């Protein structure tokens, strides 16, 4: 083994960045008469909608809750209303047709868990070499279904892996052609932009799909500790998701109210929202810093014989910095991770294809091997290196040299 200088102290692959200003905002929120259901959430929602360029934004206590509200509302819109949806779901109505959503296996469980919770069947389609859902593979599925006269697919749910926009143009066209909805789990990509041609400044993530979900979990672009949001231009979706967020109850005059549907408590507190509002002001500077740090990695890793950094397109939020290992090193990945850990460099693997988890075994793709070639290769190859706003350029240079030295040990 080489004599490699460890990083100064342990760094995880990601960590939140909280300023004194953030703390002041949270303390101020605690002094308000309302610490939930107040003006700060309204202001946060307005600021989010304004930032992303959508008509509506709804805050939630997690992206998972926002995904649930999105999927349930989507089915309710198709069936007419939320009441019919929940009656069918709960009464196990035999006339209640199972609908499907095409999605990526390279994502966090919540993307698909909430689909299943709302009675949808997920259909996994393969990814391209950037880890994003492949629109061509989605179309293959849609074409085959059309030939067989099956009309169960009502949406495609894509994920902007690592903070890189999916091919928005292709998904928009698919949605139009097959009369389905394109949804986006943009939990990685708040602050990113989709750029079609090199000389345009692009479109911010959040307004491209029919509906987009963001996460404000500690490790995402900005944080509310736990939190999420649903953005869309559709007033009907907005109203339904809002009902689901708060017990299905509509307030009337005085103490009168009605509960028209099943509902939950998916609300974000004013304390969390105050952190979000304060963080949102720094979002663009976070993205700039992440990109500056990532370009130092890019430079250090140029032409190395071990791996190549994930390619980015448009303006990435750089939520993750994944490297893709040459097949020669796939078997050594666990040992490489252990060695990096010894040297204070935390890494993570994003993600194992979801259908490989035991819970999703019934949703394994039905080709001869029950797997998707690119997704499997991607899982074997990928490793996320530390990238967050508490690191500085010199830190990244040091980590990059540690990473290259460790790989050379496995040569
Ligand atoms: C983080 C994440 C989620 C879940 O977000 P929570 O706010 O923790 O519920 C969902 N999907 C993706 C792709 C994520 O990265």
């Amino acid at each position: 083994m080489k004599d490699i200088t460890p990083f100064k102290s342990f760094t995880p692959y990601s960590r939140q960045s909280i300023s004194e200003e953030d703390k002041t905002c949270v303390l101020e929120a605690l002094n308000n008469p309302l610490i939930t259901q107040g003006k700060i959430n309204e202001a946060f929602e307005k600021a989010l909608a304004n930032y992303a360029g959508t008509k509506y934004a709804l805050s939630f206590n997690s992206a998972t809750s926002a995904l649930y509200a999105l999927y349930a509302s989507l089915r309710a819109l198709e069936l007419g209303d939320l009441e019919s949806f929940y009656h069918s779901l709960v009464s196990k109505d035999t006339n209640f047709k199972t609908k499907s959503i095409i999605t990526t296996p390279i994502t966090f469980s919540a993307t698909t868990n909430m689909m299943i919770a709302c009675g949808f069947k997920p259909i996994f389609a393969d990814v391209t070499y950037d880890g994003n859902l492949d629109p061509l593979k989605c179309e293959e599925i849609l074409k085959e279904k059309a030939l067989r006269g099956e009309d169960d697919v009502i949406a495609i749910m894509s994920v902007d892996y690592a903070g890189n926009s999916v091919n928005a143009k292709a998904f928009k066209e698919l949605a139009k052609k097959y009369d389905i909805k394109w949804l986006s789990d943009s939990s990685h990509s708040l602050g990113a932009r989709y750029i079609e041609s090199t000389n345009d400044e692009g479109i911010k993530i959040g307004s491209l799909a029919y509906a987009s979900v963001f996460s404000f979990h500690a490790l995402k672009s900005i944080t509310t500790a736990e939190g999420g949001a649903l953005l869309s231009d559709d007033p009907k979706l907005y109203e339904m998701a809002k009902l689901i967020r708060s017990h299905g109850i509509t307030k009337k005059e005085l103490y009168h109210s009605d509960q028209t549907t099943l509902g939950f408590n998916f609300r974000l507190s004013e304390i969390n929202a105050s952190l979000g509002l304060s963080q949102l002001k720094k979002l663009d500077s976070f993205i700039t810093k992440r990109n500056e740090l990532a370009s130092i990695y890019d430079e250090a890793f140029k032409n190395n014989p071990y791996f190549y950094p994930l390619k980015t397109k448009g303006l990435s939020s750089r939520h993750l910095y994944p490297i893709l290992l040459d097949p020669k090193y796939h078997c050594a990945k666990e040992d490489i991770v252990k060695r990096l850990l010894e040297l204070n460099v935390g890494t993570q693997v994003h993600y194992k294809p979801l259908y490989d988890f035991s819970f999703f075994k019934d949703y394994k793709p039905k080709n001869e091997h029950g797997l998707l070639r690119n997704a499997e290769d991607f899982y074997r190859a990928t490793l996320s290196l530390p990238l967050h706003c508490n690191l500085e350029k010199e830190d990244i240079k040091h980590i990059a040299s540690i990473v290259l030295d460790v790989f050379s040990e496995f040569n």
Side-chain angles (χ1 to χ4, degrees), residues 60-67 106-112 158-161 185-188 213-220 225-229 319-320 350-351:
F60 282 85
N61 55 9
S62 70
T64 307
S65 310
L67 284 165
I106 300 295
T107 184
F108 181 61
S109 305
T111 316
T112 308
S158 61
V159 173
D160 301 316
Y161 177 80
D185 180 344
S186 297
S187 292
H188 292 189
V213 167
F214 290 124
S215 171
F216 310 127
H217 176 270
L219 302 186
K220 304 296 163 76
E226 295 280 3
H319 165 59
L320 302 172
H350 301 93
Y351 294 94

Side-chain angles (χ1 to χ4, degrees), residues 45-332:
E45 290 175 339
K46 224 182 217 159
L48 279 170
N50 203 30
Y51 181 86
T54 56
K55 282 208 183 98
Y56 307 102
L58 275 172
S59 64
F60 282 85
N61 55 9
S62 70
T64 307
S65 310
L67 284 165
Y68 179 92
L70 167 59
Y71 293 135
S73 303
L74 192 74
R75 193 67 212 272
L77 283 168
E78 184 234 357
L79 291 168
D81 51 45
L82 277 168
E83 205 182 339
S84 327
F85 166 63
Y86 277 117
H87 281 305
S88 313
L89 195 70
V90 173
S91 67
K92 304 203 172 62
D93 182 349
T94 47
N95 291 321
F96 181 64
K97 288 204 183 74
T98 300
K99 295 284 174 173
S100 311
I101 299 180
I102 299 175
T103 192
T104 171
I106 300 295
T107 184
F108 181 61
S109 305
T111 316
T112 308
N113 279 344
M114 293 304 103
M115 248 177 233
I116 295 170
C118 292
F120 284 103
K121 178 183 165 217
I123 299 176
F124 291 112
D126 213 349
V127 296
T128 44
Y129 292 102
D130 57 1
N132 273 338
L133 188 60
D134 185 347
L136 295 174
K137 292 285 159 53
C138 294
E139 181 152 30
E140 271 176 28
I141 294 171
L142 289 163
K143 266 190 188 152
E144 273 175 34
K145 284 198 171 277
L147 280 174
R148 282 188 251 125
E150 295 170 4
D151 63 352
D152 55 308
V153 175
I154 69 167
I156 294 175
M157 169 55 94
S158 61
V159 173
D160 301 316
Y161 177 80
N164 304 318
S165 176
V166 295
N167 184 343
K169 185 164 177 262
F171 283 107
K172 270 192 176 166
E173 281 169 8
L174 268 188
K176 203 170 167 205
K177 185 167 168 191
Y178 291 89
D179 192 23
I180 56 177
K181 296 272 197 303
W182 169 39
L183 318 173
S184 177
D185 180 344
S186 297
S187 292
H188 292 189
S189 56
L190 178 62
R193 280 166 188 265
Y194 169 70
I195 302 179
E196 220 170 87
S197 59
T198 42
N199 51 3
D200 92 58
E201 63 165 18
I203 300 169
K204 279 197 195 116
I205 299 294
S207 65
L208 290 151
Y210 164 73
S212 302
V213 167
F214 290 124
S215 171
F216 310 127
H217 176 270
L219 302 186
K220 304 296 163 76
S221 301
I222 62 164
T223 188
T224 59
E226 295 280 3
L230 171 61
L231 280 75
S232 180
D233 283 338
D234 185 349
K236 284 192 195 139
L237 178 78
Y238 170 76
E239 289 303 332
M240 281 186 183
K242 203 170 169 179
L243 261 185
I244 292 171
R245 182 174 70 170
S246 207
H247 309 286
I249 292 174
T250 318
K251 288 215 169 86
K252 294 185 177 166
E253 268 178 87
L254 292 172
Y255 51 83
H256 301 287
S257 63
D258 190 19
Q259 185 185 336
T260 52
T261 181
L262 198 68
F264 301 81
N265 180 351
F266 287 161
R267 295 184 305 254
L268 188 70
S269 84
E270 291 283 283
I271 305 160
N272 298 90
S274 70
L275 180 55
L277 199 54
S278 176
Q279 287 251 308
L280 189 58
K281 292 184 190 134
K282 294 180 295 184
L283 172 59
D284 287 341
S285 67
F286 284 166
I287 302 297
T288 303
K289 174 146 192 202
R290 280 175 175 274
N291 273 285
E292 279 169 7
L293 297 179
S295 63
I296 289 173
Y297 272 143
D298 287 347
E299 191 56 38
F301 295 150
K302 241 185 210 165
N303 305 323
N304 82 78
Y306 317 115
F307 57 80
Y308 60 89
L310 187 85
K311 283 209 169 61
T312 62
K313 242 187 178 171
L315 175 67
S316 174
S317 70
R318 294 286 194 174
H319 165 59
L320 302 172
Y321 191 88
I323 55 171
L324 300 169
L325 277 57
D326 186 276
K328 240 172 45 188
Y329 300 95
H330 288 184
C331 290

